[in-house]
mmCIF file of all heavy atoms in Angstrom:
data_model
loop_
_atom_site.group_PDB
_atom_site.id
_atom_site.type_symbol
_atom_site.label_atom_id
_atom_site.label_comp_id
_atom_site.label_asym_id
_atom_site.label_seq_id
_atom_site.Cartn_x
_atom_site.Cartn_y
_atom_site.Cartn_z
ATOM 1 N N GLU E 147 -19.714 -0.029 -28.008
ATOM 2 C CA GLU E 147 -19.260 0.731 -29.170
ATOM 3 C C GLU E 147 -19.642 0.023 -30.460
ATOM 4 O O GLU E 147 -19.258 -1.123 -30.696
ATOM 5 C CB GLU E 147 -17.739 0.903 -29.123
ATOM 6 C CG GLU E 147 -17.341 2.173 -28.418
ATOM 7 C CD GLU E 147 -15.861 2.383 -28.421
ATOM 8 O OE1 GLU E 147 -15.181 1.791 -27.576
ATOM 9 O OE2 GLU E 147 -15.389 3.126 -29.294
ATOM 10 N N GLU E 152 -18.854 -4.011 -35.226
ATOM 11 C CA GLU E 152 -18.505 -4.182 -36.642
ATOM 12 C C GLU E 152 -17.222 -4.981 -36.794
ATOM 13 O O GLU E 152 -17.095 -5.811 -37.695
ATOM 14 C CB GLU E 152 -18.353 -2.815 -37.304
ATOM 15 C CG GLU E 152 -19.700 -2.224 -37.657
ATOM 16 C CD GLU E 152 -19.589 -0.884 -38.334
ATOM 17 O OE1 GLU E 152 -18.491 -0.290 -38.327
ATOM 18 O OE2 GLU E 152 -20.602 -0.431 -38.864
ATOM 19 N N VAL E 154 -16.069 -7.380 -34.933
ATOM 20 C CA VAL E 154 -16.265 -8.827 -34.828
ATOM 21 C C VAL E 154 -17.238 -9.330 -35.893
ATOM 22 O O VAL E 154 -17.157 -10.476 -36.308
ATOM 23 C CB VAL E 154 -16.734 -9.248 -33.418
ATOM 24 C CG1 VAL E 154 -15.638 -8.992 -32.406
ATOM 25 C CG2 VAL E 154 -18.005 -8.550 -33.015
ATOM 26 N N ARG E 158 -17.340 -12.398 -38.977
ATOM 27 C CA ARG E 158 -18.517 -13.277 -38.981
ATOM 28 C C ARG E 158 -18.650 -14.010 -37.650
ATOM 29 O O ARG E 158 -18.863 -15.224 -37.601
ATOM 30 C CB ARG E 158 -18.446 -14.292 -40.130
ATOM 31 C CG ARG E 158 -18.150 -13.701 -41.516
ATOM 32 C CD ARG E 158 -19.227 -12.739 -41.976
ATOM 33 N NE ARG E 158 -19.002 -12.250 -43.331
ATOM 34 C CZ ARG E 158 -18.394 -11.091 -43.624
ATOM 35 N NH1 ARG E 158 -17.938 -10.305 -42.675
ATOM 36 N NH2 ARG E 158 -18.249 -10.713 -44.873
ATOM 37 N N GLN E 163 -20.672 -15.512 -29.590
ATOM 38 C CA GLN E 163 -19.319 -14.959 -29.461
ATOM 39 C C GLN E 163 -19.358 -13.455 -29.236
ATOM 40 O O GLN E 163 -18.640 -12.917 -28.391
ATOM 41 C CB GLN E 163 -18.504 -15.254 -30.729
ATOM 42 C CG GLN E 163 -18.043 -16.692 -30.839
ATOM 43 C CD GLN E 163 -17.317 -16.942 -32.144
ATOM 44 O OE1 GLN E 163 -17.679 -16.382 -33.183
ATOM 45 N NE2 GLN E 163 -16.295 -17.779 -32.113
ATOM 46 N N LYS E 167 -17.855 -12.123 -25.808
ATOM 47 C CA LYS E 167 -16.555 -11.476 -25.926
ATOM 48 C C LYS E 167 -16.638 -9.951 -25.951
ATOM 49 O O LYS E 167 -15.686 -9.263 -25.583
ATOM 50 C CB LYS E 167 -15.830 -11.966 -27.191
ATOM 51 C CG LYS E 167 -15.431 -13.424 -27.083
ATOM 52 C CD LYS E 167 -14.500 -13.824 -28.204
ATOM 53 C CE LYS E 167 -14.318 -15.320 -28.263
ATOM 54 N NZ LYS E 167 -13.610 -15.880 -27.104
ATOM 55 N N PRO E 171 -18.829 -8.142 -21.483
ATOM 56 C CA PRO E 171 -17.761 -7.407 -20.790
ATOM 57 C C PRO E 171 -17.896 -5.888 -20.926
ATOM 58 O O PRO E 171 -17.541 -5.163 -19.997
ATOM 59 C CB PRO E 171 -16.470 -7.896 -21.456
ATOM 60 C CG PRO E 171 -16.847 -8.905 -22.465
ATOM 61 C CD PRO E 171 -18.310 -9.128 -22.458
ATOM 62 N N SER E 172 -18.424 -5.403 -22.056
ATOM 63 C CA SER E 172 -18.651 -3.959 -22.192
ATOM 64 C C SER E 172 -19.663 -3.471 -21.173
ATOM 65 O O SER E 172 -19.558 -2.369 -20.648
ATOM 66 C CB SER E 172 -19.197 -3.601 -23.573
ATOM 67 O OG SER E 172 -18.246 -3.807 -24.557
ATOM 68 N N VAL E 247 -11.363 -4.320 -14.955
ATOM 69 C CA VAL E 247 -10.100 -3.597 -15.059
ATOM 70 C C VAL E 247 -10.332 -2.144 -14.655
ATOM 71 O O VAL E 247 -11.334 -1.545 -15.023
ATOM 72 C CB VAL E 247 -9.597 -3.654 -16.512
ATOM 73 C CG1 VAL E 247 -8.311 -2.861 -16.665
ATOM 74 C CG2 VAL E 247 -9.387 -5.098 -16.916
ATOM 75 N N ARG E 248 -9.406 -1.593 -13.899
ATOM 76 C CA ARG E 248 -9.597 -0.276 -13.305
ATOM 77 C C ARG E 248 -10.131 0.768 -14.289
ATOM 78 O O ARG E 248 -11.084 1.476 -14.013
ATOM 79 C CB ARG E 248 -8.273 0.214 -12.726
ATOM 80 C CG ARG E 248 -8.448 1.296 -11.704
ATOM 81 C CD ARG E 248 -7.113 1.883 -11.372
ATOM 82 N NE ARG E 248 -6.528 2.497 -12.547
ATOM 83 C CZ ARG E 248 -5.417 3.175 -12.534
ATOM 84 N NH1 ARG E 248 -4.757 3.313 -11.445
ATOM 85 N NH2 ARG E 248 -4.949 3.716 -13.649
ATOM 86 N N ASP E 249 -9.503 0.801 -15.448
ATOM 87 C CA ASP E 249 -9.836 1.850 -16.398
ATOM 88 C C ASP E 249 -11.247 1.723 -16.955
ATOM 89 O O ASP E 249 -11.830 2.680 -17.446
ATOM 90 C CB ASP E 249 -8.834 1.814 -17.558
ATOM 91 C CG ASP E 249 -9.106 2.901 -18.554
ATOM 92 O OD1 ASP E 249 -9.034 4.062 -18.153
ATOM 93 O OD2 ASP E 249 -9.414 2.584 -19.711
ATOM 94 N N LYS J 57 -16.988 -0.508 -45.678
ATOM 95 C CA LYS J 57 -17.986 -1.398 -45.060
ATOM 96 C C LYS J 57 -18.610 -2.319 -46.099
ATOM 97 O O LYS J 57 -18.902 -3.477 -45.808
ATOM 98 C CB LYS J 57 -19.077 -0.580 -44.369
ATOM 99 C CG LYS J 57 -18.614 -0.006 -43.039
ATOM 100 C CD LYS J 57 -19.769 0.644 -42.308
ATOM 101 C CE LYS J 57 -19.277 1.366 -41.075
ATOM 102 N NZ LYS J 57 -20.327 2.222 -40.500
ATOM 103 N N ALA J 60 -16.170 -4.992 -46.659
ATOM 104 C CA ALA J 60 -16.069 -5.895 -45.507
ATOM 105 C C ALA J 60 -17.335 -6.714 -45.335
ATOM 106 O O ALA J 60 -17.404 -7.565 -44.445
ATOM 107 C CB ALA J 60 -15.793 -5.097 -44.230
ATOM 108 N N SER J 82 -14.925 -14.471 -44.250
ATOM 109 C CA SER J 82 -14.915 -14.530 -42.791
ATOM 110 C C SER J 82 -13.499 -14.492 -42.229
ATOM 111 O O SER J 82 -13.293 -14.097 -41.090
ATOM 112 C CB SER J 82 -15.648 -15.775 -42.310
ATOM 113 O OG SER J 82 -14.942 -16.917 -42.723
ATOM 114 N N LEU J 93 -9.830 0.937 -30.693
ATOM 115 C CA LEU J 93 -10.898 -0.004 -30.352
ATOM 116 C C LEU J 93 -10.353 -1.277 -29.721
ATOM 117 O O LEU J 93 -10.792 -2.376 -30.060
ATOM 118 C CB LEU J 93 -11.716 -0.375 -31.593
ATOM 119 C CG LEU J 93 -12.564 0.732 -32.188
ATOM 120 C CD1 LEU J 93 -13.196 0.249 -33.473
ATOM 121 C CD2 LEU J 93 -13.643 1.173 -31.212
ATOM 122 N N TRP J 97 -10.848 -4.419 -21.268
ATOM 123 C CA TRP J 97 -10.756 -5.434 -20.222
ATOM 124 C C TRP J 97 -9.791 -6.537 -20.583
ATOM 125 O O TRP J 97 -9.657 -7.511 -19.862
ATOM 126 C CB TRP J 97 -12.140 -5.998 -19.934
ATOM 127 C CG TRP J 97 -12.815 -6.562 -21.143
ATOM 128 C CD1 TRP J 97 -12.707 -7.820 -21.624
ATOM 129 C CD2 TRP J 97 -13.690 -5.860 -22.041
ATOM 130 N NE1 TRP J 97 -13.451 -7.957 -22.759
ATOM 131 C CE2 TRP J 97 -14.073 -6.774 -23.046
ATOM 132 C CE3 TRP J 97 -14.181 -4.544 -22.099
ATOM 133 C CZ2 TRP J 97 -14.921 -6.422 -24.095
ATOM 134 C CZ3 TRP J 97 -15.022 -4.206 -23.132
ATOM 135 C CH2 TRP J 97 -15.396 -5.136 -24.111
ATOM 136 N N GLU J 109 -9.473 -16.055 -31.772
ATOM 137 C CA GLU J 109 -10.472 -16.745 -30.945
ATOM 138 C C GLU J 109 -11.784 -16.882 -31.688
ATOM 139 O O GLU J 109 -12.418 -17.936 -31.685
ATOM 140 C CB GLU J 109 -10.717 -15.968 -29.651
ATOM 141 C CG GLU J 109 -9.560 -16.018 -28.672
ATOM 142 C CD GLU J 109 -9.797 -15.089 -27.494
ATOM 143 O OE1 GLU J 109 -10.956 -14.720 -27.242
ATOM 144 O OE2 GLU J 109 -8.801 -14.719 -26.843
ATOM 145 N N ILE J 110 -12.187 -15.782 -32.327
ATOM 146 C CA ILE J 110 -13.477 -15.812 -33.009
ATOM 147 C C ILE J 110 -13.463 -16.805 -34.166
ATOM 148 O O ILE J 110 -14.438 -17.511 -34.412
ATOM 149 C CB ILE J 110 -13.862 -14.397 -33.478
ATOM 150 C CG1 ILE J 110 -14.242 -13.566 -32.253
ATOM 151 C CG2 ILE J 110 -15.008 -14.442 -34.482
ATOM 152 C CD1 ILE J 110 -14.533 -12.146 -32.535
ATOM 153 N N TYR J 138 -2.467 -3.349 -19.978
ATOM 154 C CA TYR J 138 -3.827 -3.045 -20.403
ATOM 155 C C TYR J 138 -3.781 -1.851 -21.354
ATOM 156 O O TYR J 138 -2.857 -1.036 -21.284
ATOM 157 C CB TYR J 138 -4.702 -2.729 -19.188
ATOM 158 C CG TYR J 138 -5.162 -3.968 -18.478
ATOM 159 C CD1 TYR J 138 -4.593 -4.355 -17.272
ATOM 160 C CD2 TYR J 138 -6.161 -4.762 -19.029
ATOM 161 C CE1 TYR J 138 -5.005 -5.516 -16.629
ATOM 162 C CE2 TYR J 138 -6.585 -5.912 -18.390
ATOM 163 C CZ TYR J 138 -6.003 -6.288 -17.194
ATOM 164 O OH TYR J 138 -6.419 -7.437 -16.574
ATOM 165 N N TYR J 140 -5.126 0.988 -21.431
ATOM 166 C CA TYR J 140 -4.975 2.336 -20.876
ATOM 167 C C TYR J 140 -3.536 2.644 -20.471
ATOM 168 O O TYR J 140 -3.208 3.792 -20.218
ATOM 169 C CB TYR J 140 -5.936 2.549 -19.702
ATOM 170 C CG TYR J 140 -5.565 1.851 -18.414
ATOM 171 C CD1 TYR J 140 -4.773 2.503 -17.463
ATOM 172 C CD2 TYR J 140 -5.998 0.565 -18.133
ATOM 173 C CE1 TYR J 140 -4.430 1.871 -16.269
ATOM 174 C CE2 TYR J 140 -5.667 -0.070 -16.954
ATOM 175 C CZ TYR J 140 -4.883 0.588 -16.023
ATOM 176 O OH TYR J 140 -4.541 -0.039 -14.859
ATOM 177 N N ARG J 154 -3.516 -6.790 -34.291
ATOM 178 C CA ARG J 154 -4.755 -7.553 -34.195
ATOM 179 C C ARG J 154 -5.337 -7.826 -35.591
ATOM 180 O O ARG J 154 -5.867 -8.901 -35.855
ATOM 181 C CB ARG J 154 -5.783 -6.792 -33.353
ATOM 182 C CG ARG J 154 -7.130 -7.484 -33.256
ATOM 183 C CD ARG J 154 -8.107 -6.726 -32.398
ATOM 184 N NE ARG J 154 -8.387 -5.410 -32.952
ATOM 185 C CZ ARG J 154 -9.059 -4.460 -32.324
ATOM 186 N NH1 ARG J 154 -9.522 -4.687 -31.106
ATOM 187 N NH2 ARG J 154 -9.267 -3.293 -32.883
#
Side-chain angles (χ1 to χ4, degrees):
Chain E
E147 269 183 278
E152 280 181 347
V154 293
R158 310 298 184 264
Q163 285 177 324
K167 292 191 191 293
S172 292
V247 178
R248 200 190 62 175
D249 182 61
Chain J
K57 283 187 187 169
S82 65
L93 292 174
W97 56 87
E109 289 173 20
I110 288 175
Y138 280 105
Y140 74 91
R154 177 179 62 190

